Amino acid sequence: MDIDLSEVVPDMQVSEVVLNTYLGKYQLAPGFIITVTREGAQLLAQATGQPQFQLFPAATHKFYLKVVDAQVTFHVTNEGVVESLTLHQNGQDVPGSKIE
C-alpha cells in the first residue's frame, strides 16, 4: 500500500492543567455557543445543536477536528487566563468570548 504520510501531523501532548483552562462556554453569536469539556486527556467541543467532537492538539493553544475541516485557537492572556477562542472553518475566523 502506498500511503503519503508527508502531511500527517502527529498530535502533541497538552497537560491536563492547561486543558482545564479551556473548559467552559464560548459565545460565537447569539444562540450559538461552543461548550468545551474534557474526558480524561481528551478535549471535547460541542456547538449548539451539533454533536460533540474531540479536539486534537496541534500546538498548546491550537486544536483541530478530524471529522470536519475546522480548527480552534484559544486566546490566553499573559496571566494564563483563557478569554476567548476563534473557530476557523470554511474560510472564516469566528471569535467567541468565554462566558463561563
Side-chain angles (χ1 to χ4, degrees):
M1 221 185 313
D2 254 351
I3 299 173
D4 181 10
L5 298 177
S6 64
E7 292 189 36
V8 174
V9 178
D11 292 334
M12 67 170 296
Q13 297 296 316
V14 177
S15 76
E16 291 186 16
V17 172
V18 172
L19 292 178
N20 283 339
T21 66
Y22 301 142
L23 304 181
K25 295 184 180 212
Y26 300 83
Q27 185 168 8
L28 283 71
F32 187 73
I33 294 171
I34 292 179
T35 302
V36 178
T37 58
R38 247 187 72 209
E39 285 185 15
Q42 295 181 341
L43 200 62
L44 305 167
Q46 184 170 16
T48 302
Q50 298 181 19
Q52 187 177 61
F53 297 114
Q54 184 174 353
L55 295 173
F56 296 89
T60 302
H61 303 302
K62 297 181 182 201
F63 292 76
Y64 65 96
L65 287 86
K66 292 183 178 179
V67 294
V68 295
D69 185 14
Q71 299 79 40
V72 172
T73 302
F74 291 95
H75 304 286
V76 182
T77 67
N78 290 336
E79 294 78 30
V81 176
V82 178
E83 57 187 7
S84 64
L85 64 72
T86 300
L87 173 64
H88 312 280
Q89 187 175 17
N90 298 325
Q92 295 184 329
D93 298 321
V94 182
S97 296
K98 191 171 188 179
I99 58 173
E100 287 183 24

